[in-house]
Amino acid sequence: MKRTLLSGTRLVADTVLGHLLLVAGLVMLATPGPGLVTVVAGLAVLGRHYRWASRLRTIVLRRIRDAGTAVRARMGRRRADGHVVPVEEPHVDRDAA
């Protein structure tokens, strides 16, 4: 009896926490904050009990990884083509001092 109550309490707590993290992450996608990290954390908590959340977390992580790979490839092509803007030294007015 005690074990069943504990597992039921954990299910409710994980469900509430997971949904709170998921909603907070979605809000942070439009406002400042670590939105994607919070969404993935919410899906990870929900994924302990719900298969749909585990699958969705896998899809989100795969898309994040693919986007990072695409950005790195694009940056590599830009460097190879010589399109990188050189960093200029800040102008220091030596006569003012």
Side-chain angles (χ1 to χ4, degrees):
M1 176 71 178
K2 193 175 193 179
R3 189 174 195 108
T4 305
L5 182 62
L6 192 61
S7 67
T9 304
R10 178 174 289 249
L11 173 66
V12 171
D14 282 349
T15 301
V16 170
L17 177 64
H19 280 95
L20 283 174
L21 287 170
L22 194 58
V23 169
L26 292 174
V27 168
M28 282 189 267
L29 289 175
T31 60
L36 284 176
V37 173
T38 309
V39 166
V40 171
L43 290 172
V45 171
L46 288 170
R48 294 172 64 179
H49 302 284
Y50 301 105
R51 190 178 218 168
W52 63 266
S54 181
R55 286 187 298 221
L56 188 57
R57 182 181 64 90
T58 302
I59 291 169
V60 169
L61 287 174
R62 186 179 308 132
R63 290 208 178 172
I64 291 171
R65 186 189 65 229
D66 292 346
T69 302
V71 167
R72 284 190 296 277
R74 189 174 308 135
M75 293 302 292
R77 284 194 305 270
R78 290 190 65 153
R79 286 188 184 122
D81 293 341
H83 288 25
V84 175
V85 178
V87 177
E88 295 181 14
E89 293 294 322
H91 177 72
V92 177
D93 190 10
R94 299 188 198 285
D95 296 330

